[in-house]
Amino acid sequence: NAGVTQTPKFQVLKTGQSMTLQCAQDMNHNSMYWYRQDPGMGLRLIYYSASEGTTDKGEVPNGYNVSRLNKREFSLRLESAAPSQTSVYFCASRGQGFNYGYTFGSGTRLTVV
Amino acid sequence: ILNVEQSPQSLHVQEGDSTNFTCSFPSSNFYALHWYRWETAKSPEALFVMTLNGDEKKKGRISATLNTKEGYSYLYIKGSQPEDSATYLCALRDNNAGNMLTFGGGTRLMVKP
């Protein structure tokens, strides 16, 4: 089915470990986003990519890096995980035009111990 | 950082009740207002994208209105059903690059049979 695919679904890391969250969409969307969701905080934007080859910081970029590998894929990397990065991470994409909402992936639940 | 506020934070209603929630946002630089429905353990799904002052959108028993001059949007659910139980998110897009959305904290609706 067309949509946004995120991997892994669950991950436990030790403080200081690194990992990459993968995201791919097959809808030919230009824009892709990484959000984190914390209790009582709503969805907060980490990084986004308006188009292939561009990336920009969102509201909470510290401790993360991203790569827009091609039009389909947008990965999020934690270089040295910290307990404060325990969260649920959502990738999303959006097509062009006024009336398109975001399509979200199913989320990655990350715990840093 | 834009301030998008939703009220109430949570709401318990009986099956068959009609209900509504509010999304408040800064009216300057308005571009679009999104509504999403987010069921537990799933990813957010787009309900409406609204762009014009006075917009009214409807999908089944759910409808939304938009007032960009005063900076608010209402989401209405007529005759609530248990399957309507979810968190309803609104998100603002202002005149920025990358189609970035700033999300409110959500209204969690629980419908009792």
Side-chain angles (χ1 to χ4, degrees), chain A residues 26-83:
Chain A
D26 57 6
M27 297 170 286
N28 202 36
H29 285 172
N30 286 329
S31 302
M32 297 185 74
Y33 310 84
W34 277 104
Y35 282 87
R36 61 179 287 174
Q37 192 262 326
D38 303 293
M41 300 290 288
L43 287 165
R44 293 184 293 168
L45 182 65
I46 305 170
Y47 269 93
Y48 70 98
S49 171
S51 60
E52 185 180 355
T54 69
T55 61
D56 283 288
K57 295 178 181 179
E59 182 184 348
V60 289
N62 290 345
Y64 305 95
N65 284 303
V66 289
S67 296
R68 185 73 184 266
L69 304 170
N70 46 56
K71 193 170 186 179
R72 290 188 64 247
E73 298 172 290
F74 187 39
S75 62
L76 178 73
R77 183 161 178 84
L78 286 71
E79 291 291 351
S80 178

Side-chain angles (χ1 to χ4, degrees), chain B residues 6-112:
Chain B
Q6 291 188 246
S7 61
Q9 281 191 318
S10 65
L11 193 55
H12 291 76
V13 301
Q14 289 292 136
E15 182 176 355
D17 288 349
S18 294
T19 187
N20 64 85
F21 332 128
T22 304
C23 174
S24 302
F25 53 86
S27 55
S28 59
N29 298 319
F30 174 88
Y31 196 86
L33 193 286
H34 293 218
W35 281 100
Y36 291 83
R37 181 172 180 273
W38 192 0
E39 290 183 74
T40 303
K42 295 186 178 180
S43 51
E45 292 183 347
L47 284 172
F48 306 116
V49 178
M50 310 175 78
T51 56
L52 299 176
N53 185 44
D55 249 355
E56 291 187 27
K57 300 252 179 171
K58 187 175 181 181
K59 183 182 287 189
R61 293 178 291 97
I62 304 176
S63 60
T65 61
L66 178 66
N67 183 323
T68 61
K69 296 188 186 305
E70 296 184 36
Y72 64 84
S73 176
Y74 294 136
L75 187 80
Y76 301 90
I77 302 178
K78 184 178 179 181
S80 302
Q81 299 296 308
E83 57 265 31
D84 295 327
S85 297
T87 296
Y88 292 84
L89 299 171
C90 72
L92 176 70
R93 180 185 164 193
D94 70 349
N95 273 327
N96 61 66
N99 301 316
M100 289 190 294
L101 291 180
T102 300
F103 283 84
T107 292
R108 186 175 179 206
L109 173 68
M110 285 153 281
V111 182
K112 299 176 186 176

Side-chain angles (χ1 to χ4, degrees), chain A residues 13-27:
Chain A
L13 290 178
K14 293 182 179 178
T15 298
Q17 286 186 316
S18 62
M19 78 162 294
T20 300
L21 281 63
Q22 306 287 352
C23 176
Q25 52 90 10
D26 57 6
M27 297 170 286

